[in-house]
Amino acid sequence: MKNHRQVFQNEQKNRGRLLITCPDQPGIVAAVSQFLSNHEANIIESSQYSTNPEGGDFFMRIEFECPDLESKKSVLREEFDTIAQTFSMEWQLFFVKELKRAAIFVSKELHCLRELLLEWESGDLMADIPLVISNHPDAKDFVESFGIPFVHVPANKNTRQEAEQQQLELLEEYDIDVIILARYMQILTPAFVEAYSEKIINIHHSFLPAFVGAKPYDRAFERGVKIIGATSHYVTNDLDEGPIIEQDVKRVNHRDQVEDLKKNGKIIERSVLVRAVKWHIDDRIIVHENKTIVF
Amino acid sequence: MKNHRQVFQNEQKNRGRLLITCPDQPGIVAAVSQFLSNHEANIIESSQYSTNPEGGDFFMRIEFECPDLESKKSVLREEFDTIAQTFSMEWQLFFVKELKRAAIFVSKELHCLRELLLEWESGDLMADIPLVISNHPDAKDFVESFGIPFVHVPANKNTRQEAEQQQLELLEEYDIDVIILARYMQILTPAFVEAYSEKIINIHHSFLPAFVGAKPYDRAFERGVKIIGATSHYVTNDLDEGPIIEQDVKRVNHRDQVEDLKKNGKIIERSVLVRAVKWHIDDRIIVHENKTIVF
Amino acid sequence: MKNHRQVFQNEQKNRGRLLITCPDQPGIVAAVSQFLSNHEANIIESSQYSTNPEGGDFFMRIEFECPDLESKKSVLREEFDTIAQTFSMEWQLFFVKELKRAAIFVSKELHCLRELLLEWESGDLMADIPLVISNHPDAKDFVESFGIPFVHVPANKNTRQEAEQQQLELLEEYDIDVIILARYMQILTPAFVEAYSEKIINIHHSFLPAFVGAKPYDRAFERGVKIIGATSHYVTNDLDEGPIIEQDVKRVNHRDQVEDLKKNGKIIERSVLVRAVKWHIDDRIIVHENKTIVF
Amino acid sequence: MKNHRQVFQNEQKNRGRLLITCPDQPGIVAAVSQFLSNHEANIIESSQYSTNPEGGDFFMRIEFECPDLESKKSVLREEFDTIAQTFSMEWQLFFVKELKRAAIFVSKELHCLRELLLEWESGDLMADIPLVISNHPDAKDFVESFGIPFVHVPANKNTRQEAEQQQLELLEEYDIDVIILARYMQILTPAFVEAYSEKIINIHHSFLPAFVGAKPYDRAFERGVKIIGATSHYVTNDLDEGPIIEQDVKRVNHRDQVEDLKKNGKIIERSVLVRAVKWHIDDRIIVHENKTIVF
């Protein structure tokens, strides 16, 4: 809890992460690593990917340890900007001790919420979670037992506008970086989605692109599949069509009725969502042309 | 090869299998097991499934060992017919030593064919394989090295009718029970499919119902899925919509290009197809309302 | 919670289960199914296994639906005893509405306890859990938030006798059928184990028989394995040598330090333990010669 | 076959790989990437790992594309040697078009050999395979059908010395880089192992360290495990204790007799061995303190 996070923040106070996207060409790695070396930063982990070495796109994630990082934050940003311009880079620089602030949206199914909060409490999910919003009051006691504010914002097709208005104000008030839809059963408006582009993580209870939309387990049962799945993705305005972050599956058989598929599905839904959220808060994901690169 | 099969047929000479479908009601198991007991048959393996104990459908597979089975074949059939009428059963009685006769259809991709023939040669796939048909000559040497006749039947959209005519004659001539489409890239006509209803096993190179139809790996790449799959199913006249027998999956990542998906996919295609074929020849599958019960 | 269980008990009031072990011979299934048919019981699920059809051991599990089961309990037991004697059977008859009463033993690692209680609360683990015992006070609040009594029984090598004495009294007082060691880090004495033979389920944090004993993750790291595992088994007086109920594994790589193995391991430990416990309370397990048959 | 390999060699004629091990310190990546940049080499894939950023060991694999690589081979080696001395590196530079030359050793079980040769023939295993050695004649026809020389070298406990003498001469004659023990059932002498240190890849038919030594499936059956495994490792003079490259597992159940475990095991043995061999020939493996880093 607080302790885990404080210990982590102290341990990681000199740890930074750099995410880069640019056209591929020779010399990128040399330039970036020379820049880090100039600041006495030691590269801890480095991953890269090219869609095509000859004229494709280049993606890179570097995690580094830099003595006295706190005092160098602005100078690093300034200096790196010059390199970035040379190579036409889009880039992000993260300081690991500055934890992401996540809001969880939930409805009546609580298994994903529970998994997230238990992982958070045990120190395995290193974010701040200052807010849980639900369109049902069911989770109130559970959430508050972790010392986290719970806000009941009733929402349905007819009240969507007002509900989202209230949600957006809460997200602003709590300074939220990332929204986790933990089986939140409402569709979000395009305006809302755009306001948090590539920052809303959903869990869909099927192996996308199979069973896009409502009642995937009923349709999986109907089709007689032998394996069910769950998919975590960033939310876009095409329903269940956003960039896939993670998927997993579980074997079923002819004995499993719809209810059994749902029970079995819960186990993968929660683990898939937690993995996706961890990769997001560890700055491991770059979105490119509706796909994810997960380093 | 021949040796494996002769040893098997001798070992299993008293082994039978009964597959039953009927409306559920009390007393079915008692009647069937009493019948077997009356003939001194020992039940080796027994599986059953009810869609709903109160008025649903009942499915059963019994494997039994019956002394001197050869001489009792017709009497067993006759006597069981009486029970079957009492309970309105559809039923099939198989004698294990009477191996199924499988024809393999193949095009240019040979990995599934190879796996089937190597499993067959090592005695792990207990069928007769008297015939391989292909619309390309590529596999000829490989197939004939196993002592199996290979027939090249050119087939494309325009020659479908004549090709199928020749294929049907070959299937008749070789007394074929089951057709394995081992990446056979031609669509079969409704007449052909009906002639071998629930006897044509296909492997589709996606995790159905995702990516029905052509070029599933290209589309999986396009969508950015994190897991690819393969599906074996009985062929019906709805493309890729037949009863699913078996599926399996393999994790991929952003580095995998379409070619990598295809390579990785081959590994699951061949194992999924082989499992489905083994279950079929072991009489483990009952088809019911476009789904399979796999005992 | 209470609701789930009451609904279940009402729905399953006519549901029974029969577990049988005996020497194999023809006629067993006929006799048992005739017996059930005589009482108008409909067989819902039936599984059997022979170590060897010619003179081996025979094992069977039958789940049945019997109208007015409550009133027939003693007559069923009496009548079945006659059949059992004919075939030299060991047998158990369970009435599904009579839920098993489980006690959970825990130390400081709470992930398995949490999973068990959340599954229990959501109605997916159909037992009564009237008691949690720990040698540390840490879990007290969490356990009591479910309305379950928590008893802190300090235990270490020196106080084992007294601790077990108190534990045995509690188990008696709460009428416990099955003990779940949810990462309980104390060794039990032979007397204790014998008092609950085949009724103590442990989770060991390795893929047994690899890494029997203490610190399995440290040793897995040391050895450089590429997959870690967890094993649930019945406790016997040979450390980590009891009958294995369930195992599962997770891929790791060279980047994973001991701490990472532990984090990853927790996920499989809790799911493996929960599966084993569910199979036990569903009467799916027969122990035979230090192995389990899981129907 | 030849075609696949020639196409590959032509496509990859400018492709190189650098493997580095050294004490960790800032500036390594900068120096290496600057070196490559100076030679107009574009980094295609780069992976690194530190046991501990503060004074631990550093490992790196870089794959690069360098125009006109053939003509720069010696100059690259010379210049890199200076960097290597600065950072106390152990290093290897590979030119991808120079295929590794693999010899396969086999006994009577041929499933791993078959898989290797079929993968090789289809162009998915990019090595030269100029030699298969067996202590039994069984595989002769199969091997020669691929145009590969097969040498029968009888070997048993008593003739080990002479057999190894003949094998070593053959390995020399055929200029072999890596030896694949594809279920070769003879133990090698320390002298032989040392002559090909970190160049002999074995497949052991268990999930090591469970069931070290002989008859692992018999012992897995005896113990009643619910999952079996296979392990590929470099051979050292401690039996089955060499650095693990890859492992995989498969679920089994109480119905599976020893023979079934063996059949199921074959499927994972061959896929695990093939994966390990591919990683080796792709220069993805660094051995460190009896463990492997697999990039």
Side-chain angles (χ1 to χ4, degrees), chain D residues 146-163:
Chain D
F146 291 86
I148 298 174
F150 173 90
V151 185
H152 176 206
V153 182
N156 58 47
K157 269 185 280 183
N158 306 316
T159 63
R160 189 158 294 159
Q161 292 289 106
E162 306 140 57

Side-chain angles (χ1 to χ4, degrees), chain B residues 114-115 124 263 270, chain D residues 114-115 121 124 263 270:
Chain B
R114 279 175 181 145
E115 186 82 0
D124 290 336
K263 277 186 196 179
R270 62 191 194 173
Chain D
R114 280 176 180 144
E115 184 82 2
E121 189 190 37
D124 290 336
K263 277 186 197 178
R270 60 188 196 176

Side-chain angles (χ1 to χ4, degrees), chain B residues 205-273:
Chain B
H205 38 317
S206 86
F207 186 83
L208 289 176
F211 310 123
V212 166
K215 294 197 170 291
Y217 291 125
D218 294 77
R219 289 148 66 205
F221 175 75
E222 199 57 40
R223 180 63 186 94
V225 296
K226 299 301 186 185
I227 290 176
I228 56 168
T231 304
S232 190
H233 63 94
Y234 287 114
V235 174
T236 62
N237 282 314
D238 294 313
L239 183 65
D240 299 333
E241 296 286 354
I244 294 173
I245 303 171
E246 172 62 334
Q247 305 188 285
D248 210 347
V249 297
K250 195 165 192 305
R251 193 163 279 275
V252 294
N253 68 39
H254 61 267
R255 291 185 198 284
D256 292 303
Q257 302 299 308
V258 174
E259 283 311 306
D260 302 305
L261 300 192
K262 286 180 184 170
K263 277 186 196 179
N264 278 290
K266 281 182 186 178
I267 293 169
I268 42 177
E269 288 167 31
R270 62 191 194 173
S271 63
V272 165
L273 179 59

Side-chain angles (χ1 to χ4, degrees), chain A residues 114-115 121 124 263 270, chain C residues 115 121 124 263 270:
Chain A
R114 279 174 181 146
E115 186 82 2
E121 189 189 36
D124 290 338
K263 277 186 196 180
R270 62 190 195 175
Chain C
E115 185 82 0
E121 190 189 37
D124 291 336
K263 277 187 196 177
R270 60 189 196 175

Side-chain angles (χ1 to χ4, degrees), chain B residues 64-128:
Chain B
F64 59 88
E65 185 81 16
C66 181
D68 206 12
L69 181 61
E70 186 65 31
S71 70
K72 296 178 184 165
K73 282 161 64 171
S74 49
V75 73
L76 285 176
R77 286 196 192 281
E78 271 166 47
E79 284 192 23
F80 193 74
D81 200 45
T82 317
I83 295 172
Q85 287 180 25
T86 312
F87 291 94
S88 307
M89 290 172 176
E90 290 174 48
W91 61 284
Q92 293 173 282
L93 176 59
F94 297 100
F95 303 104
V96 174
K97 67 167 281 192
E98 298 173 5
L99 299 182
K100 297 224 175 354
R101 295 174 65 80
I104 302 174
F105 281 39
V106 69
S107 290
K108 285 190 149 182
E109 293 273 17
L110 303 187
H111 54 286
C112 288
L113 173 73
R114 279 175 181 145
E115 186 82 0
L116 287 163
L117 293 188
L118 291 175
E119 288 286 294
W120 174 80
E121 188 189 37
S122 66
D124 290 336
L125 192 158
M126 246 338 139
D128 284 324

